[in-house]
């Protein structure tokens, strides 16, 4: 899944895969969920970015 393009995993078709990855990263931490929400709603999407790269970017934003 990490090598699949992020826009495909984040689409409605693969939504369950993305949700599972977000739950593993964020757990019950509301600050992390706010970061995820901000990135998904405010940023321009890079259609060449893989889902693994997207998750790495999220982890970096948590710090």
């Amino acid at each position: 899944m990490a090598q699949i393009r992020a826009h495909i995993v984040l689409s409605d078709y693969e939504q369950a895969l993305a949700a599972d990855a977000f739950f593993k990263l964020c757990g019950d931490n509301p600050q992390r969920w706010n970061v995820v929400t901000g990135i998904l709603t405010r940023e321009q999407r890079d259609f060449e970015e893989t889902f693994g790269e997207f998750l790495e970017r999220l982890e970096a934003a948590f710090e």
Side-chain angles (χ1 to χ4, degrees), residues 2-28:
Q3 297 303 315
I4 300 171
R5 298 284 180 227
H7 73 278
I8 294 171
V9 177
L10 295 170
S11 71
D12 290 336
Y13 179 72
E14 299 292 345
Q15 198 171 40
L17 295 175
D20 185 50
F22 292 155
F23 281 121
K24 288 178 183 175
L25 277 175
C26 298
D28 61 356

Side-chain angles (χ1 to χ4, degrees), residues 1-61:
M1 176 172 78
Q3 297 303 315
I4 300 171
R5 298 284 180 227
H7 73 278
I8 294 171
V9 177
L10 295 170
S11 71
D12 290 336
Y13 179 72
E14 299 292 345
Q15 198 171 40
L17 295 175
D20 185 50
F22 292 155
F23 281 121
K24 288 178 183 175
L25 277 175
C26 298
D28 61 356
N29 185 327
Q31 293 168 333
R32 287 184 171 213
W33 283 105
N34 285 334
V35 170
V36 171
T37 302
I39 288 174
L40 290 176
T41 58
R42 292 185 210 115
E43 288 193 11
Q44 193 77 351
R45 297 233 172 61
D46 175 5
F47 289 107
E48 295 301 314
E49 181 178 49
T50 66
F51 191 62
E53 292 167 339
F54 178 79
L55 293 177
E56 288 172 2
R57 192 160 51 93
L58 274 180
E59 288 177 336

